[in-house]
Amino acid sequence: LKLPPSFNVDRSAMHKSSAMVLLLAALAAAPLVNAAHLSQSSAANPIRKVVTMLQAMQTKVTEEGKKADELFEKYTCYCKSSGGNLAASIESAETKIAELSSSIESDSEKKAKLEGDLSSHQEDRDAANKAMAEATAVRETEKAAFDKALGESKTNLVAMRKAVEALEKGMAGNFLQSRAAGLVQRFVTSSRGLLETDRQAVLAFLSGQQASSYAPQSGEITGILKQMEDEMFADQKDMIATEDAAVKAYEGLIAAKKKEVAALSKSIEEKSMRVADLGVKLAEMKNDHEDTVEGHEDDKQFLADLKKNCASKSGVHEEEKKMRAQEIVALADTIKILNDDDALELFKKTLPSSSASFVQMQASTSALRAQAAAMLAQARAQLSPGQGRQRVDFISLALRGRKVGFEKIITLIDELVATLKKEQTDDDHKKEY
């Protein structure tokens, strides 16, 4: 809190002025109090009353100083504990930021590698699927060619067997007129492994040039045809074996590719999940990193402000202790003045004795009023417009009147002293913490 502009004055000077005002007000009140209570021999000494009041104020200022010291000690403890906690928090945040940065970098590299593996696995799986598709297409082509070749081979083999049977039975004429003879003729014509002489002999027989003179016992044509039959059977077996091997190779290839595709698909699924998990983890760590960095900056700023405020508060507290010490010194000086022998002599000279006559008392009333008015004027000069000058003016006005008794004037002076005391207390409460 800051004091209003009207309080921007030299506090040490103001406290010394307040002490002098209290002293002058006490001296002004003393003759009036004794004049009003002269008949009471047991009346209390007014100066002693003021001294007691000042001693109470001195005690209160001392207690307030102790309370202020206790509060400052607590505030200092708060500064130390809060500063330590903030320093620990800042250190922890710095460690966490470094760890998060390292983890983010490491996981980002892992994620990039996994994404590269995923791309490679997907390419390998596509290549495997393509290889299976191509192998299947080739297998289908080979299968169609095999089926066609096997069918022709079987047909030619059946025709060849019929030719051999017809020759062995002596039924060559009937055979030459059958469809099988035409098949045998086409086969012999296209056969590459047959000797040309044998080819011409068989073709001559099949064309009917030797049919009438053919002697089955010689067995020449029959032997050639049987040899061709055996060769055709062997070729057919080789063809089937080759087909079986091709089928087995195809099935092995397809099985291997399917296994490869399954493994790649499993790896792709697992790594896709790992990439997704790492993506979530990275997002969380980046958010945590951002929040930690922001909190770290806030803590650093708060710690800097705390150090500044604590240092400022220490200066304010020292200044207040200094001013409070000046207040106590001012009160002690005032009490010392009031307790001094010179003050006592002045008090005795100012007050009439108990044996004075009523006429003497009345004669001295005017002098007492003048003396009190002079002291009030001196007190007024020590006050600023906002420090009770109006009350002093009102008391002076009352002194100049004739209808106002000393009791009321004394009451006004007591109220002025109480007001000054209250303003002093209020002023203490308006100190900046």
Side-chain angles (χ1 to χ4, degrees):
L1 297 174
K2 293 184 177 180
L3 297 175
S6 61
F7 285 88
N8 293 332
V9 295
D10 186 347
R11 292 177 57 86
S12 61
M14 185 180 72
H15 288 305
K16 291 179 180 180
S17 175
S18 298
M20 292 303 298
V21 169
L22 290 173
L23 175 60
L24 292 172
L27 293 175
L32 300 178
V33 170
N34 280 276
H37 300 284
L38 186 61
S39 60
Q40 300 176 2
S41 59
S42 62
N45 188 329
I47 293 181
R48 175 54 54 192
K49 179 180 178 183
V50 174
V51 170
T52 302
M53 179 189 71
L54 293 177
Q55 289 173 341
M57 290 177 64
Q58 191 177 30
T59 302
K60 183 176 181 181
V61 171
T62 303
E63 292 175 353
E64 288 175 352
K66 291 180 181 179
K67 291 180 180 179
D69 289 339
E70 291 176 0
L71 290 175
F72 179 71
E73 184 177 354
K74 292 179 179 179
Y75 187 76
T76 303
C77 180
Y78 163 76
C79 289
K80 291 180 180 179
S81 60
S82 298
N85 293 336
L86 282 172
S89 176
I90 290 171
E91 183 178 358
S92 175
E94 290 174 349
T95 302
K96 185 177 181 181
I97 288 171
E99 291 175 351
L100 285 173
S101 298
S102 177
S103 298
I104 289 172
E105 182 179 359
S106 175
D107 287 351
S108 295
E109 292 176 356
K110 290 180 182 178
K111 185 171 179 287
K113 185 178 182 303
L114 286 172
E115 289 173 342
D117 292 344
L118 274 176
S119 178
S120 177
H121 292 340
Q122 289 170 347
E123 291 176 358
D124 291 344
R125 185 175 65 176
D126 292 341
N129 287 325
K130 183 179 180 181
M132 285 193 292
E134 291 175 350
T136 300
V138 171
R139 178 87 283 277
E140 290 175 352
T141 302
E142 291 176 348
K143 181 66 168 59
F146 168 75
D147 290 342
K148 181 181 179 181
L150 182 62
E152 292 176 352
S153 177
K154 288 181 177 180
T155 301
N156 293 332
L157 185 59
V158 170
M160 189 65 68
R161 285 174 178 173
K162 287 181 179 180
V164 172
E165 289 176 358
L167 290 173
E168 288 177 345
K169 292 178 180 180
M171 300 174 64
N174 293 332
F175 171 74
L176 293 175
Q177 295 176 0
S178 68
R179 179 175 176 273
L183 293 175
V184 173
Q185 186 178 8
R186 283 197 299 272
F187 177 74
V188 171
T189 302
S190 62
S191 178
R192 297 179 180 180
L194 187 64
L195 293 176
E196 188 61 28
T197 56
D198 292 342
R199 187 195 313 276
Q200 294 300 325
V202 173
L203 289 175
F205 166 72
L206 292 174
S207 63
Q209 296 176 3
Q210 300 177 358
S212 59
S213 61
Y214 179 72
Q217 291 81 358
S218 63
E220 181 181 358
I221 300 300
T222 303
I224 295 173
L225 292 178
K226 280 187 175 182
Q227 182 181 356
M228 292 181 67
E229 179 185 357
D230 292 341
E231 290 177 353
M232 290 175 66
F233 183 73
D235 290 342
Q236 190 178 94
K237 286 181 67 177
D238 291 341
M239 185 187 301
I240 293 173
T242 301
E243 176 63 14
D244 290 343
V247 170
K248 187 175 181 180
Y250 167 76
E251 290 176 347
L253 174 65
I254 294 300
K257 291 299 180 181
K258 285 184 176 179
K259 186 176 180 180
E260 180 183 359
V261 168
L264 288 170
S265 297
K266 182 178 180 181
S267 180
I268 288 171
E269 182 179 357
E270 290 177 352
K271 290 184 178 180
S272 295
M273 292 181 64
R274 289 175 62 187
V275 167
D277 292 341
L278 279 174
V280 173
K281 184 180 178 181
L282 280 170
E284 291 176 348
M285 286 194 297
K286 287 178 180 179
N287 289 335
D288 192 10
H289 183 272
E290 183 178 349
D291 293 341
T292 304
V293 169
E294 184 177 351
H296 176 254
E297 293 300 324
D298 291 342
D299 286 347
K300 287 175 64 178
Q301 183 62 44
F302 189 80
L303 179 60
D305 293 341
L306 181 65
K307 289 180 178 180
K308 180 180 178 182
N309 293 335
C310 290
S312 175
K313 178 61 181 174
S314 177
V316 171
H317 180 67
E318 292 300 323
E319 183 64 24
E320 289 175 352
K321 285 180 66 176
K322 181 179 179 181
M323 290 189 295
R324 194 176 293 110
Q326 292 174 350
E327 293 173 3
I328 294 174
V329 170
L331 289 170
D333 290 343
T334 303
I335 293 171
K336 182 178 179 181
I337 292 172
L338 292 175
N339 285 331
D340 190 75
D341 292 339
D342 294 336
L344 181 59
E345 290 298 325
L346 177 61
F347 175 72
K348 289 180 179 180
K349 292 177 181 179
T350 303
L351 294 178
S353 64
S354 58
S355 60
S357 64
F358 179 74
V359 176
Q360 289 175 327
M361 289 175 58
Q362 276 198 334
S364 63
T365 298
S366 297
L368 292 175
R369 286 179 182 273
Q371 185 178 358
M375 290 183 178
L376 287 173
Q378 185 177 358
R380 183 182 185 279
Q382 300 293 329
L383 297 173
S384 64
Q387 291 182 303
R389 183 180 289 181
Q390 293 85 351
R391 289 181 174 273
V392 174
D393 292 340
F394 185 72
I395 295 171
S396 298
L397 180 62
L399 282 172
R400 289 196 295 270
R402 297 299 181 180
K403 295 183 178 181
V404 178
F406 287 160
E407 291 80 3
K408 291 185 178 181
I409 294 174
I410 292 170
T411 300
L412 291 174
I413 293 175
D414 288 340
E415 289 177 357
L416 173 60
V417 173
T419 299
L420 289 173
K421 184 178 179 181
K422 182 177 181 302
E423 289 177 353
Q424 179 64 52
T425 303
D426 292 341
D427 186 31
D428 291 339
H429 290 167
K430 290 179 180 178
K431 295 173 183 176
E432 180 181 359
Y433 285 95

